[in-house]
Amino acid sequence: MTTSIVRATCPHDCPDTCALLVTVEDGVAVQVKGDPDHPTTAGVLCTKVSKYTERTYHKDRLLHPMKRVGRKGEGRFERISWDEALDTIASRLKNIAARDPQAIVPYSYAGTMGLVQGESMAARFFHKLGASLLDRTICASAGGEGYKYTVGAKIGTDVEQFQNAKLILIWGGNPIASNLHFWMRAQEAKRRGAKLIAIDPYRSLTAEKCHQHIALLPGTDAALALGMMHVLIAEELLDKDYIEQFTFGFDRLKERVAEWTPRKVAETCGISEEEVVGLAREYGGAAKRGDPVAIRVNYGVQRVHGGGMAVRNIACLPALVGAWRHAAGGIQLSSSDTFPKNQRSLQRPDLLEKQPRTINMSTIGDDLLRDGDPAFGPRIEALVVYNSNPVAVAPESPKVVQGFAREDLFTVVLEHFQTDTADYADIVLPATTQLEHVDVHSTYGHLYMMANNAAVAPLGEAKPNTEIFRLLAARMGFDDPCFRESDDEIASQAFKRTDVRAVHFDWDSLKRKGWQKLNVPDAPFAHGGFPTPSGKCEFYSEQMKAAGLDPLPAYVAPHESVASNPVLAKKYPLAMISPPARNFLNSSFVNVQSLRDTEGEPHLDMHPSDAHERGIEDGDAVRIFNDRGSFVAKVRVTDKARRGLVVGLSIWWKKFAADGKNANEVTSQQLTDMGKAPTFYDVLVQVEKA
Ligand code: SF4
């Protein structure tokens, strides 16, 4: 028997991007462990990826190309050869492109975070074709935009510093489920005497383990941050020297937050005045004493109408109290802009002959149902889906399904498994998993460049995404040299060597070592240097003004809430959020039996008073509905959900639910204030016994 250990990287949409050690025996991966030497992974993986061999060698892996033989959505397919699959796709795409290539739409997201198997060869292919561009907004664009208006780029506190903080605000996230290695640092901080405060409408696993939990109404985080700023300024819990040197627009901010009294904030957020004042005093008081205070804000806060503004407001806080002076102070939303990614080389936008239209992935339901017109461009005639499962994850699913079911739509899906989306494909192509291909990763939660070596040969006839688009490019007659580059050649272009932030990126060496930290200062903004137009942390933003936004921190009310839409709330009085279930990662892993068994079945957490009013008891099957649709779940009556809120941990594959539906039946295609992102947690529903 030959045994080897291969260095790999977790590819999933998680900030932790763990370093993996894969044990391979006679060409078969038998174990996946966390690398004990990688400082953030520290030898620990989440339950999902600890079972990675179960996913890789799953009996349902797609192992050969298939064409549809049943109705769309029925999931009946028959095996075909690669030649037949590729010839069919090339001929259909050529035909459509001859009329207007913009009628072809790529649809992809973070099914893998790899820079090679994500958007490299695929982007080159669609650019050369002249297909519509895709605005990849489904997860992070609202918060990202709000953060960048304030701080300048998605750069923040290094996760490896959090254990030295004395106060940590965990705002809009449940790191035990979705940012485990941050949570390990937060726990270490707690052991060293730090206070942890969770800010989340739901008492998540994480909130239960913090010293304090502030359960505000969904979509009101921006108001809480405004209230904190009001108290910090009123009580002079400020770092005046930092404000003077490194911020822009303080006087106008002071005027703006004057109206956000603790009483007004408490009413808006559905919490007490004491909570507002107490939080600001904890934060400003600790900073005043010279203690490092840190915020881990996560994407949960920005899945609402005012999500961009909420993150912008929260990102103002560290500069007010001078928290950036400490390596363990400041805020982290994402570390992604710390990486000097070379997207132009990877994706080759220069292959575009002219600028095509852009389709927003968050409104794919509406857009698939639109006819062509001069404003929209041509009706969508073909979709190529890779690294995504839109039938399960895109908002307002009834419309998404109606669109995918169009008989005149030609749909290709690259996948590992027969997902809800693959059921609607005309052609399904088997893609390799992370253990079967090469990739290189930046991350959005730590500061290491990461390499992924192929541990085993592709299973069955599966091929890497890159190879699939290479073969398609050849059939389309695209002969630019970039379509012949190998995966290693692509990976070697991932980071700019000349950028001062890269420590001499060398792909061969990274492949051997597995990971390498960027050479960046421990405290990124201790001495200012914000990458904003003014070079300062911008409380006032000319860029926002130019974009037609309020240039100062503000409150943008939810599209759907009791306060903002009382008429709708009469019919649908309960707010619903659908954060990640611990054993799933978006819609990945739902088909792994052991993980699905742990989750059980689709649940809805509901406050005892709300349940009692409706005659609902723990364990009842209930129907959750609004004008957009409905789905069925089993109720857990619990005060983890605050009154007026129901929580459906997600994202279930529809085919594993009793009624063939999931929480996206009721979510909407209304967008956020910034970043054109979906508002998954800005939803009113009613609940009744099923
Ligand atoms: S999903 Fe996240 S925590 Fe789990 S192994 Fe991957 S990167 Fe690590």
Side-chain angles (χ1 to χ4, degrees), residues 385-660:
V385 181
Y386 52 103
N387 304 335
S388 186
N389 181 10
V391 169
V393 307
E396 202 175 354
S397 202
K399 285 196 176 163
V400 178
V401 166
Q402 206 185 329
F404 269 84
R406 272 176 43 200
E407 275 304 329
D408 63 334
L409 179 74
F410 177 62
T411 304
V412 179
V413 175
L414 284 61
E415 251 305 348
H416 302 147
F417 298 104
Q418 192 68 33
T419 59
D420 290 335
T421 304
D423 284 346
Y424 287 85
D426 293 282
I427 303 281
V428 176
L429 301 176
T432 45
T433 68
Q434 187 79 341
L435 300 193
E436 301 151 66
H437 57 226
V438 164
D439 218 324
V440 61
H441 290 249
S442 60
T443 85
Y444 63 101
H446 62 68
L447 299 174
Y448 292 81
M449 298 180 285
M450 308 289 290
N452 183 73
N453 293 284
V456 298
L459 268 65
E461 295 180 12
K463 293 184 191 297
N465 287 351
T466 41
E467 181 61 9
I468 295 173
F469 285 107
R470 236 178 243 122
L471 293 168
L472 275 174
R475 274 177 167 75
M476 299 295 285
F478 301 163
D479 57 5
D480 306 68
C482 69
F483 290 110
R484 292 190 291 279
E485 283 178 1
S486 69
D487 288 3
D488 279 305
E489 284 169 324
I490 299 171
S492 69
Q493 300 165 50
F495 302 110
K496 294 176 203 157
R497 292 164 195 237
T498 52
D499 192 295
V500 288
R501 291 204 296 268
V503 193
H504 183 64
F505 166 59
D506 176 83
W507 173 234
D508 288 329
S509 133
L510 188 68
K511 270 179 92 171
R512 276 194 306 277
K513 290 194 233 156
W515 38 268
Q516 183 185 354
K517 195 168 188 181
L518 296 172
N519 184 19
V520 289
D522 283 347
F525 305 122
H527 308 290
F530 292 90
T532 54
S534 65
K536 299 183 171 190
C537 176
E538 296 202 347
F539 299 141
Y540 182 92
S541 165
E542 291 288 358
Q543 278 186 314
M544 293 180 76
K545 191 174 171 198
L549 297 163
D550 191 328
L552 283 164
Y555 174 61
V556 179
H559 292 296
E560 300 187 7
S561 73
V562 173
S564 65
N565 198 337
V567 177
L568 188 69
K570 274 217 161 88
K571 250 167 109 181
Y572 304 119
L574 298 167
M576 188 194 87
I577 60 172
S578 46
R582 186 178 187 178
N583 292 284
F584 305 155
L585 202 160
N586 300 328
S587 75
S588 297
F589 299 99
V590 181
N591 63 324
V592 177
Q593 188 75 44
S594 59
L595 296 170
R596 195 167 73 253
D597 286 348
T598 312
E599 285 300 324
E601 58 190 306
H603 284 108
L604 188 81
D605 286 1
M606 186 176 214
H607 191 271
S609 307
D610 292 323
H612 181 72
E613 276 171 12
R614 291 164 177 78
I616 291 169
E617 289 179 15
D618 192 59
D620 280 349
V622 292
R623 192 172 82 94
I624 303 99
F625 63 99
N626 59 20
D627 287 342
R628 293 179 285 269
S630 70
F631 69 104
V632 171
K634 189 172 176 181
V635 148
R636 292 189 294 211
V637 176
T638 167
D639 64 1
K640 287 182 183 180
R642 57 165 290 156
R643 188 137 200 232
L645 175 78
V646 290
V647 182
L649 299 178
S650 291
I651 299 173
W652 281 84
W653 286 17
K654 297 175 170 197
K655 62 175 73 176
F656 292 123
D659 62 342

Side-chain angles (χ1 to χ4, degrees), residues 10 12 14 16-18 20 45-46 48-49 180-181 585:
C10 176
H12 287 282
C14 168
D16 300 24
T17 313
C18 289
L20 311 178
L45 300 180
C46 64
K48 300 172 281 255
V49 174
L180 183 64
H181 297 81
L585 202 160

Side-chain angles (χ1 to χ4, degrees), residues 151-162:
V151 174
K154 287 192 273 184
I155 295 172
T157 312
D158 182 350
V159 67
E160 290 177 29
Q161 297 290 343
F162 272 89

